[in-house]
Amino acid sequence: MTLSLNDRAHELADGLAADAEALRVALTTLPNGTRLIDCGSAVPGGLEAGRRFAQICMGGLGAVTFAPIVLEGRWLPGLTVVTDHPALACLGSQYAGWRLDRDGYFAIASGPGRALIRAEELYDDLEVDERAHKAVLCLETREPPPAEIADYVAERAGIDTADLTLVFAPTASLAGGAQVAARVVETALHKLHELEFDVGRVVSGFGSCPLPPVARTDPEGIGRTNDAVLYGGQVELTVDASDEELEDLVPRLPSSASRDHGEPFGRVLERADWDFYAIDPLLFSPAEVRLTSVPSGRSFHSGGVDVGILERSFRE
């Protein structure tokens, strides 16, 4: 694959920076030259900042659009995500797979900079040969990364610190909530990977997800954003696979296939002592999935939304 995720994301980050005042985001430059773009920590940010944050996360290979969603007769604000490069955009770039935990600083890192760093075993299963002189990393955090963290990231990515952009927002912010909801297709791709299906056979992805109301605290935000996907997310994947393969696969894809399904995510996380790794990994997937076979044109469906749990989560 010759497409450069980081080059495309850097261009989008330049656009975000150019519209900083209108989008209510803040630009700073660290002493080492690294550019920081705050989308919701010390500034209000907003939904549009979150939409652009999400597209940067996908390395410019996905389109995110706001749209109303009707679930079981209930109107909700929402968004749609479309990509024709699902494995590359969603797993090679968007997946929040790197725990940036160093010198007392912690953030969940996603975005195309990961494809240069390759700190995750996931890349052993993806056809990603990223080459770029600039890098963009997206951080889910409230704390601005210090220069020492930027030095470390740039060294891992093999670039100069002045060529690094770090975009960040806390979960409990308008931008943070939007960018997590925009991971609805990514969660389906990751679930396929967990089930040891070759994600390179996924030709395109379309997903929709309700926008969670902004939360008071980041822990509450983690609950609401995950519930939006687990109980309101809907995804259709077009796959180069036989009917028999998809018919066997589709029941295992929705979040309802997990033993931890059935109550707001915040309560599941509390029961696990806030350890994500103690939660059944099969939970992290959309509420409803449809797979369409390229060879036959037939579709296979499983799962369903649960507005009751969404309402509990969004009002608590």
Side-chain angles (χ1 to χ4, degrees):
M1 177 63 72
T2 57
L3 290 169
S4 172
L5 295 163
N6 283 280
D7 286 348
R8 296 174 68 88
H10 191 270
E11 184 176 347
L12 292 175
D14 284 347
L16 177 62
D19 288 341
E21 184 176 1
L23 297 173
R24 302 185 302 191
V25 306
L27 304 179
T28 55
T29 302
L30 294 175
N32 61 11
T34 293
R35 176 173 61 176
L36 303 185
I37 306 180
D38 177 1
C39 291
S41 178
V43 292
L47 294 176
E48 176 61 14
R51 186 186 73 84
R52 296 198 191 191
F53 189 121
Q55 293 188 155
I56 290 169
C57 269
M58 299 181 79
L61 292 178
V64 180
T65 306
F66 292 118
I69 295 174
V70 178
L71 302 178
E72 298 179 355
R74 166 78 184 274
W75 178 90
L76 294 165
L79 54 74
T80 62
V81 182
V82 177
T83 178
D84 289 321
H85 298 272
L88 190 59
C90 295
L91 297 186
S93 190
Q94 188 184 24
Y95 177 57
W98 189 31
R99 292 170 58 89
L100 184 52
D101 189 357
R102 186 175 177 85
D103 299 331
Y105 182 83
F106 177 80
I108 298 296
S110 59
R114 294 171 41 252
L116 291 172
I117 295 165
R118 300 181 74 92
E120 307 150 50
E121 294 181 359
L122 171 67
Y123 285 98
D124 296 337
D125 300 327
L126 299 176
E127 294 183 8
V128 179
D129 185 20
E130 177 72 357
R131 301 173 188 272
H133 298 294
K134 298 181 178 181
V136 182
L137 202 65
C138 302
L139 306 178
E140 189 173 343
T141 181
R142 187 167 293 277
E143 298 299 322
E148 294 77 14
I149 292 297
D151 289 341
Y152 172 68
V153 171
E155 181 182 4
R156 292 291 304 268
I159 62 166
D160 293 334
T161 52
D163 292 324
L164 175 64
T165 296
L166 299 175
V167 186
F168 69 99
T171 315
S173 66
L174 287 167
Q179 71 90 10
V180 175
R183 296 174 184 275
V184 62
V185 176
E186 175 248 290
T187 60
L189 265 290
H190 186 256
K191 184 69 161 288
L192 282 173
H193 182 261
E194 287 289 310
L195 295 173
E196 300 183 349
F197 183 84
D198 179 7
V199 293
R201 297 167 67 187
V202 184
V203 176
S204 67
F206 180 99
S208 63
C209 186
L211 281 170
V214 65
R216 293 169 296 179
T217 66
D218 290 327
E220 291 177 355
I222 290 171
R224 286 182 172 183
T225 53
N226 276 276
D227 286 333
V229 175
L230 301 179
Y231 298 104
Q234 298 169 296
V235 169
E236 176 162 330
L237 302 177
T238 302
V239 190
D240 188 4
S242 68
D243 291 353
E244 291 76 19
E245 286 180 284
L246 298 188
E247 190 171 22
D248 175 68
L249 188 64
V250 73
R252 296 183 284 164
L253 280 180
S255 56
S256 56
S258 166
R259 65 175 183 269
D260 286 329
H261 181 272
E263 59 181 320
F265 183 75
R267 296 186 183 182
V268 175
L269 197 52
E270 285 180 12
R271 194 167 58 242
D273 292 326
W274 295 89
D275 181 1
F276 275 85
Y277 296 95
I279 298 172
D280 180 9
L282 299 183
L283 177 65
F284 299 100
S285 47
E288 188 171 3
V289 179
R290 179 177 289 104
L291 303 178
T292 297
S293 166
V294 171
S296 73
R298 292 187 62 198
S299 294
F300 302 88
H301 168 272
S302 186
V305 301
D306 192 324
V307 174
I309 292 181
L310 281 179
E311 289 181 335
R312 287 168 58 194
S313 173
F314 289 0
R315 69 169 179 258
E316 288 180 352

